[in-house]
Amino acid sequence: MEPKSILVTGASRGIGREIALKFAEGGYRVFLNCRTSASELEEVRHTISEKYRVPCETVLGDVGNSRDVASLFEQIYRTCDCLDVLVNNAGIAHIGLLMDMKDEEWKQILDTNLSSVFYCCRAAIPPMISRKCGRIINISSMWGTAGASCEAAYSASKAGVHGLTKAIAKELAPSNIQVNAIACGVIDTMMNGQLSDEERKGLEEEIPAGRYGTAAEIAKVVWDTAHAPEYLTGQIIGVDGGYL
Ligand code: NAP
């Protein structure tokens, strides 16, 4: 029997890497994407092939660019007819005052964090509709719900992901395709790597759980969401150590 297939965008490190490993462990065929970190992505592919013995391919490309997304889905559809699970995880952060933000910076954040979800969903959905099954999971942020000072573009992009998630969940529920988002709190990845030890300590004190979350914890929630009853759709699932 053919294994189930998953595409994880932004899988070269951090949360995306852990999600890819989790689904490989569960027997999935894994398509791994990132934009620039080809050698890190190849390391993930190698680990998956050696450790879990499931089919695994890398599909490099900028998911914020519609032509790149069309070409990476062409590669995927040469190997499999339909994805069972699409995880829109690729994302970038930007810290600074809104009044100092350049047009290009705004555009890059919105393209990478929000338009990417549109491009990947548009390409993944048609075969899912034909088969009347599929799961789409968008990796979002608690700042999409609450808004963060000095992260306005990031917050706006993730709020957009929340709206898109709820809207397409309704559009696709009649086709038995479930769409949910995971609104992460502060997770221990390179995205927060620029914080000093002191800043990290201060931030940890603000989190009721008293610590950052781990990428493995998010991967477990993604796995559980992908295998939850079909009635779970259109939800923004908070995983933030009680922060919000
Ligand atoms: P990370 O460690 O910086 O990893 C980001 C991944 O996205 C990398 O694989 C990166 O690879 C890829 N990527 C970036 N731009 C891309 C593009 N245009 N096309 C394709 N891939 C791209 O970040 P992370 O913490 O794991 O974050 C993953 C997701 O979780 C993001 O959506 C982020 O917003 C969300 N999140 C994270 C936190 C947190 O505290 N860490 C909290 C809330 C939400 P390349 O650089 O090689 O392209």
Side-chain angles (χ1 to χ4, degrees), residues 80-136:
C80 78
D81 298 336
C82 181
L83 290 174
D84 295 278
V85 182
L86 165 64
V87 179
N88 289 304
N89 165 77
I92 51 171
H94 176 93
I95 296 179
L97 294 173
L98 181 78
M99 65 182 184
D100 295 334
M101 188 165 227
K102 297 186 180 71
D103 293 1
E104 285 317 305
E105 291 169 333
W106 172 271
K107 190 173 174 325
Q108 200 195 355
I109 290 166
L110 271 289
D111 284 350
T112 307
N113 294 0
L114 179 57
S115 300
S116 61
V117 180
F118 158 54
Y119 299 142
C120 290
C121 288
R122 182 174 59 180
I125 287 166
M128 288 181 174
I129 290 179
S130 302
R131 288 208 323 201
K132 284 216 173 311
C133 71
R135 304 271 173 148
I136 298 173

Side-chain angles (χ1 to χ4, degrees), residues 9-17 33-38 40-41 60-65 88-93 108 111-113 116 139-143 154 158 182-192 212 215 218:
T9 68
S12 59
R13 59 175 185 268
I15 294 169
R17 182 180 191 278
N33 156 268
C34 76
R35 184 168 61 104
T36 52
S37 313
E40 285 90 339
L41 200 67
L60 273 179
D62 176 358
V63 288
N65 176 306
N88 289 304
N89 165 77
I92 51 171
Q108 200 195 355
D111 284 350
T112 307
N113 294 0
S116 61
I139 306 302
S140 190
S141 164
M142 62 180 176
W143 301 134
Y154 182 79
K158 295 300 190 181
I182 312 297
C184 303
V186 187
I187 308 303
D188 200 358
T189 70
M190 254 177 73
M191 193 171 264
N192 298 305
Y212 285 12
I218 301 302

